[in-house]
Amino acid sequence: MAELRDKDGLLEEEFLKAYDASRYPRPSVTADVVLFATSEPDANWDASQDASQNASRDASRDASRDASWNASQDASWDTSQDANQTASQIANQVAESNRGDALAGGLLCTNADAPADGITCTNAAASAKLELLLIRRAGHPYMGRWALPGGFIEPGETLEQTALRELQEETGVAQITLEQLRTVSTPGRDPRGWTITCAFVAQTAKQGLQLRAADDAAEAAWFSFELARRDASSWQLRLSGAGEVLNAIFPDPPILATSSDLAFDHADIIACAIQRRSEQR
């Protein structure tokens, strides 16, 4: 096939040689991890994730994994529009019910006697209770605040490799299989400048895990969680762990928090992960 010339008469090699990458500002890129854990392996989660976990470890099969996911799901969480649609469906189901509904421990559960100003939902099976992993930031910005493990991509890395490296560096947790959750690019989400993050989600058993905070993390701890409706127009994410209680308030549906005790927009990412997992049960 003959080499093609563009409208300026350039061959591809000539175009690339003359190309000025500085014409377009480029964001920093990070990866963050929502790691759920149970005291025992979750057979339901393992069964539903086998195919995507195997595929995610093979970069050459990314396209087929994405196609399989899209074919089997009505909504994709890779865009905020689809996240909004799915969250709306959950919120509508809650609003149509006269019971108090909550997403606690990753499960949709109900409390018939829920008070009007808040909802409490407890997982009766202690062995099935989920927790998620947070780190306390050791430096600015948001120094001393709790956040998801994560950090900046390095040259030559894939985003998945970045997520795995940062998770191990900050918490000591390794050998985790990741699934891409969503990409977050909200302007102003990071006070250091234009930053896009790719959020990943994973689940493991806590048995045998030894947390070891290091690098950018002053502390690493497991937190119980609940995403619940506060009233007709708002939701609350509540996280409890390390002797602290963290809260984030969302409008309806629970996508973009209006206030949060967590660093960055990590409350938004956690709410997305909780809803994703609830759908997969």
Side-chain angles (χ1 to χ4, degrees):
M1 180 178 176
E3 292 188 88
L4 301 177
R5 294 184 179 273
D6 65 11
K7 59 184 178 61
D8 298 318
L10 298 177
L11 297 171
E12 182 173 316
E13 182 179 354
E14 296 169 332
F15 167 80
L16 293 175
K17 184 176 181 179
Y19 182 73
D20 180 10
S22 66
R23 290 176 56 195
Y24 302 99
R26 299 187 177 190
S28 298
V29 180
T30 62
D32 293 302
V33 181
V34 182
L35 179 60
F36 294 115
T38 57
S39 55
E40 295 180 0
D42 187 329
N44 290 333
W45 171 271
D46 293 340
S48 67
Q49 294 300 306
D50 280 347
S52 61
Q53 287 179 346
N54 291 335
S56 66
R57 286 198 175 278
D58 186 351
S60 67
R61 294 171 60 191
D62 281 348
S64 63
R65 178 194 63 186
D66 292 342
S68 173
W69 175 260
N70 290 332
S72 62
Q73 301 290 325
D74 292 332
S76 167
W77 282 85
D78 290 337
T79 66
S80 60
Q81 179 179 2
D82 289 339
N84 183 75
Q85 177 184 0
T86 306
S88 296
Q89 293 170 351
I90 294 173
N92 288 338
Q93 292 171 0
V94 172
E96 289 169 2
S97 172
N98 290 324
R99 302 167 299 179
D101 286 354
L103 289 163
L107 303 176
L108 182 63
C109 35
T110 61
N111 179 354
D113 301 318
D117 59 348
I119 296 167
T120 302
C121 184
T122 337
N123 192 332
S127 63
K129 185 176 180 181
L130 277 175
E131 295 178 307
L132 62 85
L133 182 60
L134 296 179
I135 59 107
R136 190 191 297 276
R137 290 183 54 78
H140 298 300
Y142 298 106
M143 184 174 179
R145 299 273 286 273
W146 290 95
L148 294 170
F152 289 94
I153 193 170
E154 294 184 352
E157 283 186 328
T158 65
L159 280 166
E160 185 176 22
Q161 289 170 337
T162 300
L164 291 170
R165 173 179 56 78
E166 289 287 347
L167 180 64
Q168 183 170 11
E169 289 176 355
E170 294 183 345
T171 71
V173 177
Q175 303 300 318
I176 298 296
T177 301
L178 301 174
E179 175 189 345
Q180 186 170 326
L181 177 66
R182 64 179 299 190
T183 300
V184 185
S185 57
T186 310
R189 59 174 302 275
D190 189 324
R192 293 169 293 191
W194 186 17
T195 307
I196 293 173
T197 195
C198 182
F200 292 87
V201 63
Q203 182 169 323
T204 189
K206 286 176 62 177
Q207 185 178 2
L209 285 183
Q210 297 293 327
L211 297 184
R212 176 183 48 80
D215 195 41
D216 296 328
E219 186 178 354
W222 296 105
F223 281 71
S224 61
F225 60 88
E226 176 187 60
L227 178 61
R229 180 177 286 282
R230 295 175 70 224
D231 51 41
S233 61
S234 66
W235 289 68
Q236 179 177 13
L237 173 66
R238 180 183 175 90
L239 301 150
S240 301
E244 297 186 42
V245 176
L246 311 175
N247 291 284
I249 305 301
F250 297 83
D252 191 17
I255 294 178
L256 298 175
T258 54
S259 66
S260 174
D261 294 332
L262 283 88
F264 305 104
D265 50 5
H266 289 184
D268 301 345
I269 296 172
I270 291 170
C272 177
I274 293 172
Q275 293 172 86
R276 162 76 74 85
R277 191 184 187 283
S278 179
E279 288 185 323
Q280 292 177 331
R281 294 292 298 188

PDB file of all heavy atoms in Angstrom, residues 156-189:
ATOM      1  N   GLY A 156       6.157   4.433  31.428  1.00  0.00           N
ATOM      2  CA  GLY A 156       6.272   3.011  31.132  1.00  0.00           C
ATOM      3  C   GLY A 156       5.251   2.146  31.839  1.00  0.00           C
ATOM      4  O   GLY A 156       5.225   0.929  31.621  1.00  0.00           O
ATOM      5  N   GLU A 157       4.423   2.727  32.701  1.00  0.00           N
ATOM      6  CA  GLU A 157       3.418   1.956  33.422  1.00  0.00           C
ATOM      7  C   GLU A 157       2.065   2.016  32.723  1.00  0.00           C
ATOM      8  O   GLU A 157       1.726   3.015  32.091  1.00  0.00           O
ATOM      9  CB  GLU A 157       3.217   2.509  34.838  1.00  0.00           C
ATOM     10  CG  GLU A 157       4.274   2.154  35.832  1.00  0.00           C
ATOM     11  CD  GLU A 157       3.899   2.644  37.231  1.00  0.00           C
ATOM     12  OE1 GLU A 157       3.231   3.685  37.348  1.00  0.00           O
ATOM     13  OE2 GLU A 157       4.291   1.970  38.201  1.00  0.00           O
ATOM     14  N   THR A 158       1.282   0.958  32.890  1.00  0.00           N
ATOM     15  CA  THR A 158      -0.144   1.032  32.597  1.00  0.00           C
ATOM     16  C   THR A 158      -0.831   1.565  33.854  1.00  0.00           C
ATOM     17  O   THR A 158      -0.257   1.543  34.952  1.00  0.00           O
ATOM     18  CB  THR A 158      -0.730  -0.338  32.248  1.00  0.00           C
ATOM     19  OG1 THR A 158      -0.649  -1.189  33.410  1.00  0.00           O
ATOM     20  CG2 THR A 158       0.031  -0.988  31.095  1.00  0.00           C
ATOM     21  N   LEU A 159      -2.064   2.010  33.729  1.00  0.00           N
ATOM     22  CA  LEU A 159      -2.789   2.496  34.900  1.00  0.00           C
ATOM     23  C   LEU A 159      -3.014   1.382  35.914  1.00  0.00           C
ATOM     24  O   LEU A 159      -2.989   1.611  37.133  1.00  0.00           O
ATOM     25  CB  LEU A 159      -4.117   3.117  34.473  1.00  0.00           C
ATOM     26  CG  LEU A 159      -4.018   4.540  33.932  1.00  0.00           C
ATOM     27  CD1 LEU A 159      -5.299   4.941  33.227  1.00  0.00           C
ATOM     28  CD2 LEU A 159      -3.703   5.519  35.062  1.00  0.00           C
ATOM     29  N   GLU A 160      -3.239   0.166  35.439  1.00  0.00           N
ATOM     30  CA  GLU A 160      -3.419  -0.948  36.358  1.00  0.00           C
ATOM     31  C   GLU A 160      -2.141  -1.207  37.143  1.00  0.00           C
ATOM     32  O   GLU A 160      -2.185  -1.467  38.358  1.00  0.00           O
ATOM     33  CB  GLU A 160      -3.838  -2.206  35.608  1.00  0.00           C
ATOM     34  CG  GLU A 160      -4.164  -3.369  36.522  1.00  0.00           C
ATOM     35  CD  GLU A 160      -4.682  -4.583  35.767  1.00  0.00           C
ATOM     36  OE1 GLU A 160      -4.409  -4.685  34.561  1.00  0.00           O
ATOM     37  OE2 GLU A 160      -5.370  -5.406  36.383  1.00  0.00           O
ATOM     38  N   GLN A 161      -0.998  -1.111  36.482  1.00  0.00           N
ATOM     39  CA  GLN A 161       0.279  -1.298  37.176  1.00  0.00           C
ATOM     40  C   GLN A 161       0.491  -0.201  38.210  1.00  0.00           C
ATOM     41  O   GLN A 161       0.998  -0.459  39.310  1.00  0.00           O
ATOM     42  CB  GLN A 161       1.417  -1.306  36.162  1.00  0.00           C
ATOM     43  CG  GLN A 161       1.460  -2.556  35.304  1.00  0.00           C
ATOM     44  CD  GLN A 161       2.438  -2.451  34.146  1.00  0.00           C
ATOM     45  OE1 GLN A 161       2.793  -1.339  33.696  1.00  0.00           O
ATOM     46  NE2 GLN A 161       2.890  -3.585  33.639  1.00  0.00           N
ATOM     47  N   THR A 162       0.095   1.029  37.864  1.00  0.00           N
ATOM     48  CA  THR A 162       0.191   2.133  38.819  1.00  0.00           C
ATOM     49  C   THR A 162      -0.648   1.846  40.054  1.00  0.00           C
ATOM     50  O   THR A 162      -0.196   2.022  41.194  1.00  0.00           O
ATOM     51  CB  THR A 162      -0.284   3.445  38.176  1.00  0.00           C
ATOM     52  OG1 THR A 162       0.521   3.743  37.039  1.00  0.00           O
ATOM     53  CG2 THR A 162      -0.214   4.600  39.167  1.00  0.00           C
ATOM     54  N   ALA A 163      -1.895   1.416  39.840  1.00  0.00           N
ATOM     55  CA  ALA A 163      -2.801   1.138  40.954  1.00  0.00           C
ATOM     56  C   ALA A 163      -2.236   0.049  41.861  1.00  0.00           C
ATOM     57  O   ALA A 163      -2.246   0.181  43.103  1.00  0.00           O
ATOM     58  CB  ALA A 163      -4.168   0.731  40.419  1.00  0.00           C
ATOM     59  N   LEU A 164      -1.717  -1.015  41.284  1.00  0.00           N
ATOM     60  CA  LEU A 164      -1.161  -2.117  42.076  1.00  0.00           C
ATOM     61  C   LEU A 164       0.083  -1.677  42.835  1.00  0.00           C
ATOM     62  O   LEU A 164       0.276  -2.034  44.005  1.00  0.00           O
ATOM     63  CB  LEU A 164      -0.837  -3.300  41.162  1.00  0.00           C
ATOM     64  CG  LEU A 164      -2.045  -4.024  40.547  1.00  0.00           C
ATOM     65  CD1 LEU A 164      -1.586  -5.006  39.481  1.00  0.00           C
ATOM     66  CD2 LEU A 164      -2.854  -4.746  41.620  1.00  0.00           C
ATOM     67  N   ARG A 165       0.937  -0.885  42.175  1.00  0.00           N
ATOM     68  CA  ARG A 165       2.163  -0.410  42.833  1.00  0.00           C
ATOM     69  C   ARG A 165       1.820   0.508  44.010  1.00  0.00           C
ATOM     70  O   ARG A 165       2.373   0.344  45.109  1.00  0.00           O
ATOM     71  CB  ARG A 165       3.034   0.337  41.822  1.00  0.00           C
ATOM     72  CG  ARG A 165       4.252   1.020  42.453  1.00  0.00           C
ATOM     73  CD  ARG A 165       5.109   1.737  41.427  1.00  0.00           C
ATOM     74  NE  ARG A 165       4.358   2.708  40.652  1.00  0.00           N
ATOM     75  CZ  ARG A 165       4.000   3.926  41.078  1.00  0.00           C
ATOM     76  NH1 ARG A 165       4.290   4.300  42.310  1.00  0.00           N
ATOM     77  NH2 ARG A 165       3.345   4.743  40.277  1.00  0.00           N
ATOM     78  N   GLU A 166       0.923   1.463  43.773  1.00  0.00           N
ATOM     79  CA  GLU A 166       0.569   2.402  44.841  1.00  0.00           C
ATOM     80  C   GLU A 166      -0.120   1.694  46.008  1.00  0.00           C
ATOM     81  O   GLU A 166       0.117   2.019  47.172  1.00  0.00           O
ATOM     82  CB  GLU A 166      -0.343   3.494  44.286  1.00  0.00           C
ATOM     83  CG  GLU A 166       0.356   4.482  43.359  1.00  0.00           C
ATOM     84  CD  GLU A 166       1.272   5.443  44.104  1.00  0.00           C
ATOM     85  OE1 GLU A 166       1.172   5.512  45.349  1.00  0.00           O
ATOM     86  OE2 GLU A 166       2.082   6.120  43.458  1.00  0.00           O
ATOM     87  N   LEU A 167      -0.980   0.725  45.700  1.00  0.00           N
ATOM     88  CA  LEU A 167      -1.643  -0.030  46.754  1.00  0.00           C
ATOM     89  C   LEU A 167      -0.626  -0.743  47.631  1.00  0.00           C
ATOM     90  O   LEU A 167      -0.719  -0.714  48.868  1.00  0.00           O
ATOM     91  CB  LEU A 167      -2.616  -1.039  46.135  1.00  0.00           C
ATOM     92  CG  LEU A 167      -3.400  -1.920  47.106  1.00  0.00           C
ATOM     93  CD1 LEU A 167      -4.322  -1.085  47.981  1.00  0.00           C
ATOM     94  CD2 LEU A 167      -4.192  -2.981  46.351  1.00  0.00           C
ATOM     95  N   GLN A 168       0.363  -1.360  47.015  1.00  0.00           N
ATOM     96  CA  GLN A 168       1.376  -2.080  47.790  1.00  0.00           C
ATOM     97  C   GLN A 168       2.275  -1.111  48.553  1.00  0.00           C
ATOM     98  O   GLN A 168       2.601  -1.345  49.729  1.00  0.00           O
ATOM     99  CB  GLN A 168       2.218  -2.963  46.877  1.00  0.00           C
ATOM    100  CG  GLN A 168       3.240  -3.805  47.629  1.00  0.00           C
ATOM    101  CD  GLN A 168       3.901  -4.851  46.748  1.00  0.00           C
ATOM    102  OE1 GLN A 168       3.764  -4.840  45.530  1.00  0.00           O
ATOM    103  NE2 GLN A 168       4.621  -5.769  47.374  1.00  0.00           N
ATOM    104  N   GLU A 169       2.680  -0.008  47.906  1.00  0.00           N
ATOM    105  CA  GLU A 169       3.561   0.946  48.572  1.00  0.00           C
ATOM    106  C   GLU A 169       2.892   1.595  49.785  1.00  0.00           C
ATOM    107  O   GLU A 169       3.541   1.815  50.811  1.00  0.00           O
ATOM    108  CB  GLU A 169       3.989   2.037  47.581  1.00  0.00           C
ATOM    109  CG  GLU A 169       4.963   1.570  46.519  1.00  0.00           C
ATOM    110  CD  GLU A 169       5.297   2.653  45.508  1.00  0.00           C
ATOM    111  OE1 GLU A 169       4.695   3.752  45.571  1.00  0.00           O
ATOM    112  OE2 GLU A 169       6.159   2.415  44.646  1.00  0.00           O
ATOM    113  N   GLU A 170       1.616   1.909  49.682  1.00  0.00           N
ATOM    114  CA  GLU A 170       0.946   2.665  50.736  1.00  0.00           C
ATOM    115  C   GLU A 170       0.302   1.802  51.812  1.00  0.00           C
ATOM    116  O   GLU A 170       0.098   2.272  52.932  1.00  0.00           O
ATOM    117  CB  GLU A 170      -0.109   3.585  50.117  1.00  0.00           C
ATOM    118  CG  GLU A 170       0.493   4.680  49.240  1.00  0.00           C
ATOM    119  CD  GLU A 170      -0.537   5.632  48.694  1.00  0.00           C
ATOM    120  OE1 GLU A 170      -1.749   5.307  48.735  1.00  0.00           O
ATOM    121  OE2 GLU A 170      -0.148   6.712  48.215  1.00  0.00           O
ATOM    122  N   THR A 171      -0.014   0.544  51.484  1.00  0.00           N
ATOM    123  CA  THR A 171      -0.730  -0.299  52.452  1.00  0.00           C
ATOM    124  C   THR A 171      -0.084  -1.656  52.694  1.00  0.00           C
ATOM    125  O   THR A 171      -0.470  -2.357  53.629  1.00  0.00           O
ATOM    126  CB  THR A 171      -2.180  -0.538  51.991  1.00  0.00           C
ATOM    127  OG1 THR A 171      -2.180  -1.421  50.854  1.00  0.00           O
ATOM    128  CG2 THR A 171      -2.873   0.759  51.627  1.00  0.00           C
ATOM    129  N   GLY A 172       0.844  -2.070  51.829  1.00  0.00           N
ATOM    130  CA  GLY A 172       1.447  -3.391  51.951  1.00  0.00           C
ATOM    131  C   GLY A 172       0.625  -4.497  51.327  1.00  0.00           C
ATOM    132  O   GLY A 172       1.034  -5.664  51.347  1.00  0.00           O
ATOM    133  N   VAL A 173      -0.539  -4.174  50.745  1.00  0.00           N
ATOM    134  CA  VAL A 173      -1.401  -5.183  50.138  1.00  0.00           C
ATOM    135  C   VAL A 173      -0.967  -5.424  48.695  1.00  0.00           C
ATOM    136  O   VAL A 173      -0.823  -4.482  47.913  1.00  0.00           O
ATOM    137  CB  VAL A 173      -2.878  -4.747  50.166  1.00  0.00           C
ATOM    138  CG1 VAL A 173      -3.754  -5.772  49.452  1.00  0.00           C
ATOM    139  CG2 VAL A 173      -3.333  -4.564  51.610  1.00  0.00           C
ATOM    140  N   ALA A 174      -0.777  -6.686  48.340  1.00  0.00           N
ATOM    141  CA  ALA A 174      -0.330  -7.044  46.994  1.00  0.00           C
ATOM    142  C   ALA A 174      -1.150  -8.224  46.481  1.00  0.00           C
ATOM    143  O   ALA A 174      -2.009  -8.766  47.182  1.00  0.00           O
ATOM    144  CB  ALA A 174       1.152  -7.395  47.011  1.00  0.00           C
ATOM    145  N   GLN A 175      -0.870  -8.615  45.236  1.00  0.00           N
ATOM    146  CA  GLN A 175      -1.524  -9.773  44.615  1.00  0.00           C
ATOM    147  C   GLN A 175      -3.043  -9.619  44.594  1.00  0.00           C
ATOM    148  O   GLN A 175      -3.792 -10.528  44.973  1.00  0.00           O
ATOM    149  CB  GLN A 175      -1.137 -11.059  45.348  1.00  0.00           C
ATOM    150  CG  GLN A 175       0.354 -11.323  45.419  1.00  0.00           C
ATOM    151  CD  GLN A 175       0.994 -11.440  44.032  1.00  0.00           C
ATOM    152  OE1 GLN A 175       0.441 -12.059  43.134  1.00  0.00           O
ATOM    153  NE2 GLN A 175       2.151 -10.831  43.851  1.00  0.00           N
ATOM    154  N   ILE A 176      -3.513  -8.460  44.146  1.00  0.00           N
ATOM    155  CA  ILE A 176      -4.933  -8.166  44.047  1.00  0.00           C
ATOM    156  C   ILE A 176      -5.314  -8.050  42.571  1.00  0.00           C
ATOM    157  O   ILE A 176      -4.572  -7.477  41.774  1.00  0.00           O
ATOM    158  CB  ILE A 176      -5.276  -6.845  44.771  1.00  0.00           C
ATOM    159  CG1 ILE A 176      -4.957  -6.955  46.255  1.00  0.00           C
ATOM    160  CG2 ILE A 176      -6.742  -6.464  44.578  1.00  0.00           C
ATOM    161  CD1 ILE A 176      -5.778  -7.981  46.998  1.00  0.00           C
ATOM    162  N   THR A 177      -6.448  -8.596  42.211  1.00  0.00           N
ATOM    163  CA  THR A 177      -6.946  -8.473  40.844  1.00  0.00           C
ATOM    164  C   THR A 177      -7.911  -7.301  40.766  1.00  0.00           C
ATOM    165  O   THR A 177      -8.877  -7.235  41.530  1.00  0.00           O
ATOM    166  CB  THR A 177      -7.661  -9.761  40.395  1.00  0.00           C
ATOM    167  OG1 THR A 177      -6.732 -10.841  40.477  1.00  0.00           O
ATOM    168  CG2 THR A 177      -8.166  -9.634  38.969  1.00  0.00           C
ATOM    169  N   LEU A 178      -7.651  -6.388  39.859  1.00  0.00           N
ATOM    170  CA  LEU A 178      -8.414  -5.146  39.760  1.00  0.00           C
ATOM    171  C   LEU A 178      -9.410  -5.175  38.614  1.00  0.00           C
ATOM    172  O   LEU A 178      -9.196  -5.825  37.597  1.00  0.00           O
ATOM    173  CB  LEU A 178      -7.462  -3.965  39.546  1.00  0.00           C
ATOM    174  CG  LEU A 178      -6.397  -3.716  40.610  1.00  0.00           C
ATOM    175  CD1 LEU A 178      -5.461  -2.611  40.151  1.00  0.00           C
ATOM    176  CD2 LEU A 178      -7.029  -3.361  41.941  1.00  0.00           C
ATOM    177  N   GLU A 179     -10.478  -4.423  38.805  1.00  0.00           N
ATOM    178  CA  GLU A 179     -11.454  -4.179  37.745  1.00  0.00           C
ATOM    179  C   GLU A 179     -11.615  -2.664  37.621  1.00  0.00           C
ATOM    180  O   GLU A 179     -11.724  -1.954  38.630  1.00  0.00           O
ATOM    181  CB  GLU A 179     -12.800  -4.806  38.096  1.00  0.00           C
ATOM    182  CG  GLU A 179     -13.903  -4.488  37.097  1.00  0.00           C
ATOM    183  CD  GLU A 179     -15.266  -4.942  37.587  1.00  0.00           C
ATOM    184  OE1 GLU A 179     -15.316  -5.740  38.547  1.00  0.00           O
ATOM    185  OE2 GLU A 179     -16.275  -4.491  37.023  1.00  0.00           O
ATOM    186  N   GLN A 180     -11.595  -2.153  36.400  1.00  0.00           N
ATOM    187  CA  GLN A 180     -11.739  -0.710  36.236  1.00  0.00           C
ATOM    188  C   GLN A 180     -13.153  -0.283  36.622  1.00  0.00           C
ATOM    189  O   GLN A 180     -14.143  -0.876  36.185  1.00  0.00           O
ATOM    190  CB  GLN A 180     -11.438  -0.290  34.802  1.00  0.00           C
ATOM    191  CG  GLN A 180     -11.437   1.217  34.617  1.00  0.00           C
ATOM    192  CD  GLN A 180     -10.909   1.642  33.264  1.00  0.00           C
ATOM    193  OE1 GLN A 180     -10.019   0.996  32.720  1.00  0.00           O
ATOM    194  NE2 GLN A 180     -11.435   2.720  32.726  1.00  0.00           N
ATOM    195  N   LEU A 181     -13.238   0.760  37.442  1.00  0.00           N
ATOM    196  CA  LEU A 181     -14.517   1.261  37.915  1.00  0.00           C
ATOM    197  C   LEU A 181     -14.999   2.435  37.071  1.00  0.00           C
ATOM    198  O   LEU A 181     -16.075   2.401  36.484  1.00  0.00           O
ATOM    199  CB  LEU A 181     -14.395   1.688  39.380  1.00  0.00           C
ATOM    200  CG  LEU A 181     -15.636   2.314  40.026  1.00  0.00           C
ATOM    201  CD1 LEU A 181     -16.762   1.293  40.120  1.00  0.00           C
ATOM    202  CD2 LEU A 181     -15.289   2.868  41.411  1.00  0.00           C
ATOM    203  N   ARG A 182     -14.212   3.502  37.007  1.00  0.00           N
ATOM    204  CA  ARG A 182     -14.582   4.678  36.229  1.00  0.00           C
ATOM    205  C   ARG A 182     -13.380   5.604  36.100  1.00  0.00           C
ATOM    206  O   ARG A 182     -12.396   5.471  36.831  1.00  0.00           O
ATOM    207  CB  ARG A 182     -15.748   5.428  36.878  1.00  0.00           C
ATOM    208  CG  ARG A 182     -15.433   6.016  38.227  1.00  0.00           C
ATOM    209  CD  ARG A 182     -16.599   6.768  38.847  1.00  0.00           C
ATOM    210  NE  ARG A 182     -17.014   7.895  38.029  1.00  0.00           N
ATOM    211  CZ  ARG A 182     -17.879   8.816  38.443  1.00  0.00           C
ATOM    212  NH1 ARG A 182     -18.421   8.721  39.645  1.00  0.00           N
ATOM    213  NH2 ARG A 182     -18.221   9.834  37.670  1.00  0.00           N
ATOM    214  N   THR A 183     -13.475   6.524  35.168  1.00  0.00           N
ATOM    215  CA  THR A 183     -12.482   7.582  35.014  1.00  0.00           C
ATOM    216  C   THR A 183     -13.118   8.879  35.488  1.00  0.00           C
ATOM    217  O   THR A 183     -14.245   9.194  35.130  1.00  0.00           O
ATOM    218  CB  THR A 183     -12.036   7.712  33.556  1.00  0.00           C
ATOM    219  OG1 THR A 183     -11.463   6.470  33.129  1.00  0.00           O
ATOM    220  CG2 THR A 183     -11.002   8.816  33.404  1.00  0.00           C
ATOM    221  N   VAL A 184     -12.379   9.636  36.312  1.00  0.00           N
ATOM    222  CA  VAL A 184     -12.912  10.872  36.879  1.00  0.00           C
ATOM    223  C   VAL A 184     -12.056  12.039  36.393  1.00  0.00           C
ATOM    224  O   VAL A 184     -10.839  12.049  36.595  1.00  0.00           O
ATOM    225  CB  VAL A 184     -12.915  10.829  38.418  1.00  0.00           C
ATOM    226  CG1 VAL A 184     -13.594  12.071  38.978  1.00  0.00           C
ATOM    227  CG2 VAL A 184     -13.604   9.563  38.925  1.00  0.00           C
ATOM    228  N   SER A 185     -12.707  13.011  35.769  1.00  0.00           N
ATOM    229  CA  SER A 185     -11.966  14.134  35.175  1.00  0.00           C
ATOM    230  C   SER A 185     -12.581  15.482  35.516  1.00  0.00           C
ATOM    231  O   SER A 185     -12.382  16.456  34.801  1.00  0.00           O
ATOM    232  CB  SER A 185     -11.920  13.969  33.646  1.00  0.00           C
ATOM    233  OG  SER A 185     -13.234  13.885  33.113  1.00  0.00           O
ATOM    234  N   THR A 186     -13.329  15.550  36.618  1.00  0.00           N
ATOM    235  CA  THR A 186     -13.982  16.796  37.007  1.00  0.00           C
ATOM    236  C   THR A 186     -12.954  17.916  37.170  1.00  0.00           C
ATOM    237  O   THR A 186     -11.996  17.772  37.936  1.00  0.00           O
ATOM    238  CB  THR A 186     -14.736  16.604  38.338  1.00  0.00           C
ATOM    239  OG1 THR A 186     -15.550  15.442  38.259  1.00  0.00           O
ATOM    240  CG2 THR A 186     -15.585  17.819  38.654  1.00  0.00           C
ATOM    241  N   PRO A 187     -13.116  19.039  36.466  1.00  0.00           N
ATOM    242  CA  PRO A 187     -12.177  20.160  36.630  1.00  0.00           C
ATOM    243  C   PRO A 187     -12.115  20.622  38.084  1.00  0.00           C
ATOM    244  O   PRO A 187     -13.131  20.697  38.782  1.00  0.00           O
ATOM    245  CB  PRO A 187     -12.775  21.246  35.734  1.00  0.00           C
ATOM    246  CG  PRO A 187     -13.557  20.503  34.703  1.00  0.00           C
ATOM    247  CD  PRO A 187     -14.129  19.316  35.427  1.00  0.00           C
ATOM    248  N   GLY A 188     -10.902  20.878  38.573  1.00  0.00           N
ATOM    249  CA  GLY A 188     -10.720  21.362  39.930  1.00  0.00           C
ATOM    250  C   GLY A 188     -10.748  20.295  40.998  1.00  0.00           C
ATOM    251  O   GLY A 188     -10.709  20.620  42.192  1.00  0.00           O
ATOM    252  N   ARG A 189     -10.770  19.017  40.617  1.00  0.00           N
ATOM    253  CA  ARG A 189     -10.882  17.943  41.604  1.00  0.00           C
ATOM    254  C   ARG A 189      -9.607  17.785  42.449  1.00  0.00           C
ATOM    255  O   ARG A 189      -9.642  17.166  43.502  1.00  0.00           O
ATOM    256  CB  ARG A 189     -11.230  16.616  40.939  1.00  0.00           C
ATOM    257  CG  ARG A 189     -10.234  16.131  39.880  1.00  0.00           C
ATOM    258  CD  ARG A 189     -10.571  14.743  39.364  1.00  0.00           C
ATOM    259  NE  ARG A 189     -10.606  13.788  40.436  1.00  0.00           N
ATOM    260  CZ  ARG A 189      -9.506  13.167  40.887  1.00  0.00           C
ATOM    261  NH1 ARG A 189      -8.312  13.431  40.380  1.00  0.00           N
ATOM    262  NH2 ARG A 189      -9.611  12.297  41.866  1.00  0.00           N
TER     263      ARG A 189
END
